[in-house]
Amino acid sequence: MIKDSYQISVVIEKDEYGYYAYCPQLEGCQTQGDSLEEIKTNIHEAIELYLSTLSDDEKKERLSQEILTMTMEVKVA
């Protein structure tokens, strides 16, 4: 069986408790983990589960959003 392939934006944040990840394109698709390796595995599973609940039209609608990210250096006086 051939699986569909999607490009999905994932944001991973680290704090004193571990890691938190979410997908801006998939509202409510989020997870947490204790290590970077664990959070990558967890968000991959969360995305697969989330997408399995969507119709083809819903997938097309959510995954057509273009998410742009960047890192900026801002100097404050």
Side-chain angles (χ1 to χ4, degrees):
M1 182 171 111
I2 297 175
K3 291 187 175 186
D4 292 328
S5 179
Y6 303 100
Q7 293 290 320
I8 299 175
S9 299
V10 175
V11 176
I12 299 174
E13 300 175 359
K14 185 178 187 316
D15 63 18
E16 67 270 18
Y17 304 109
Y19 293 86
Y20 168 72
Y22 65 95
C23 303
Q25 296 154 299
L26 306 174
E27 184 177 343
C29 185
Q30 55 193 337
T31 190
Q32 61 187 36
D34 294 326
S35 68
L36 190 54
E37 189 63 35
E38 181 181 14
I39 197 67
K40 287 162 70 175
T41 298
N42 290 352
I43 197 63
H44 190 273
E45 291 173 359
I47 291 167
E48 284 184 333
L49 181 60
Y50 191 104
L51 291 176
S52 73
T53 69
L54 300 179
S55 70
D56 288 342
D57 287 341
E58 290 170 320
K59 287 178 193 173
K60 184 178 178 181
E61 176 186 334
R62 285 176 176 79
L63 299 176
S64 66
Q65 300 174 20
E66 185 175 0
I67 306 293
L68 303 173
T69 62
M70 63 183 198
T71 302
M72 295 177 60
E73 181 178 345
V74 179
K75 295 183 181 187
V76 180

